[in-house]
Amino acid sequence: MKTELEVNTLKSFQTELTRFFLAYKFALQEVETKINILQEEFKLIHEYNPIEHVSTRVKSPKSILTKMMKKELPPSIEAVRENIRDIAGARITCSFVEDIYKVSAMLQAQHDMEVVEVKDYIANPKENGYQSLHLIIKIPIFMSDHMEKVYTEIQIRTIAMDFWASLEHKIYYKYNKEVPEHIRHELKEAALQAAELDRKMERLNKEINILKENEAEPSLLDSTPIAHLAKYLTELPGNQIIDDTLFKK
């Protein structure tokens, strides 16, 4: 039978563990709120939404334990809190590469959010071809009796980058042993093709924007009264042009 001290210790640890995970849950809620506000504001001002999709997750206890063992951390909540910075994770999927940097700049401009580290795997892809922009931030969470800053990782990538990363992850985890060299090579080739697709779609988007701007200017002139008058005169029977000399005395 457990002593009263053991029971109280167990209850205290359970409470601490519950609050530990709650802090990361609340951190993600704060991040989601910030993203939603920026998204709505950007859409209102620019009539364009750079964000396609947002997803969040808190690492499972099993994943945290695996990472603890990999980093050779002591079995304490404080060690985990300080050394594992991606327990809370948010992923933002954007339409184009330039949107990634726009969203990143807007997030980094938030004064109550501390940017700890920026990892640009777009400018410098990983060896396997992985591309994404990672922000490691600290976001303040106000609990009932204290405030704490919680580490959160934000990944920002295009649809093509996300497609490749998701499938690459599934392929690797299906095969528990060392992945054969030819498969690694083909996965990297696929990453390069995804990056080329991003570049091509961005070029097409810029061309469309230029065409749209060029078409917008004449449309403004077409709506003026003088434009309507000119059109009326050209549609007169026999295209009769009135000679203003007839009105001179």
Side-chain angles (χ1 to χ4, degrees):
M1 178 178 281
K2 292 180 181 178
T3 65
E4 184 177 351
L5 178 61
E6 289 175 325
V7 170
N8 290 336
T9 301
L10 187 61
K11 284 183 178 179
S12 177
F13 178 73
Q14 186 178 14
T15 301
E16 187 181 2
L17 195 61
T18 300
R19 296 189 75 176
F20 171 80
F21 280 103
L22 273 178
Y24 291 102
K25 177 185 175 183
F26 297 152
L28 287 178
Q29 288 176 352
E30 290 287 336
V31 170
E32 280 187 289
T33 299
K34 287 182 177 294
I35 294 169
N36 289 336
I37 290 171
L38 292 173
Q39 189 175 5
E40 287 294 323
E41 182 190 23
F42 194 93
K43 189 175 179 180
L44 182 66
I45 295 172
H46 301 283
E47 297 182 347
Y48 169 70
N49 183 8
I51 298 174
E52 293 284 343
H53 182 65
V54 179
S55 60
T56 59
R57 65 98 182 96
V58 176
K59 269 187 182 296
S60 67
K62 182 180 177 181
S63 296
I64 295 172
L65 185 60
T66 302
K67 201 151 192 178
M68 280 178 64
M69 294 171 66
K70 186 177 178 181
K71 287 177 170 281
E72 298 181 349
L73 298 176
S76 74
I77 286 179
E78 193 56 37
V80 171
R81 184 182 285 117
E82 286 303 315
N83 293 281
I84 302 180
R85 299 178 174 184
D86 63 345
I87 293 175
R91 182 174 298 158
I92 303 172
T93 308
C94 295
S95 308
F96 304 101
V97 175
E98 65 177 2
D99 292 334
I100 291 174
Y101 292 102
K102 287 177 184 175
V103 171
S104 172
M106 288 191 293
L107 286 170
Q108 292 188 58
Q110 301 289 302
H111 297 299
D112 62 339
M113 194 174 75
E114 179 187 346
V115 179
V116 178
E117 189 177 5
V118 178
K119 299 177 183 179
D120 192 344
Y121 295 119
I122 300 171
N124 302 289
K126 287 188 177 182
E127 181 60 31
N128 65 348
Y130 173 86
Q131 293 192 46
S132 184
L133 184 69
H134 293 193
L135 303 179
I136 304 295
I137 65 165
K138 270 186 172 182
I139 191 159
I141 299 300
F142 296 89
M143 309 292 274
S144 59
D145 56 354
H146 72 286
M147 183 278 285
E148 64 179 281
K149 292 186 177 181
V150 180
Y151 280 113
T152 304
E153 182 185 62
I154 303 174
Q155 298 178 355
I156 316 174
R157 55 180 68 159
T158 63
I159 300 168
M161 292 174 191
D162 190 56
F163 171 77
W164 181 89
S166 297
L167 294 188
E168 189 262 2
H169 180 77
K170 285 184 179 179
I171 290 169
Y172 266 74
Y173 272 77
K174 278 183 179 178
Y175 198 76
N176 295 323
K177 300 178 184 178
E178 181 70 19
V179 175
E181 178 62 30
H182 73 280
I183 292 180
R184 290 204 301 269
H185 177 74
E186 289 200 40
L187 282 169
K188 188 169 183 177
E189 282 294 314
L192 294 173
Q193 290 169 6
E196 177 56 34
L197 177 62
D198 270 333
R199 287 190 289 270
K200 184 176 289 187
M201 296 306 291
E202 194 155 40
R203 285 197 301 270
L204 292 173
N205 184 58
K206 285 179 180 177
E207 285 187 33
I208 289 295
N209 287 338
I210 291 169
L211 290 172
K212 188 177 178 181
E213 286 174 8
N214 290 340
E215 288 176 359
E217 293 177 5
S219 65
L220 291 174
L221 293 175
D222 289 342
S223 63
T224 60
I226 194 166
H228 291 304
L229 177 60
K231 184 179 179 182
Y232 169 76
L233 291 176
T234 58
E235 291 176 353
L236 286 173
N239 196 24
Q240 299 171 2
I241 302 298
I242 301 174
D243 188 349
D244 62 356
T245 58
L246 296 175
F247 297 93
K248 290 182 179 179
K249 293 183 181 178

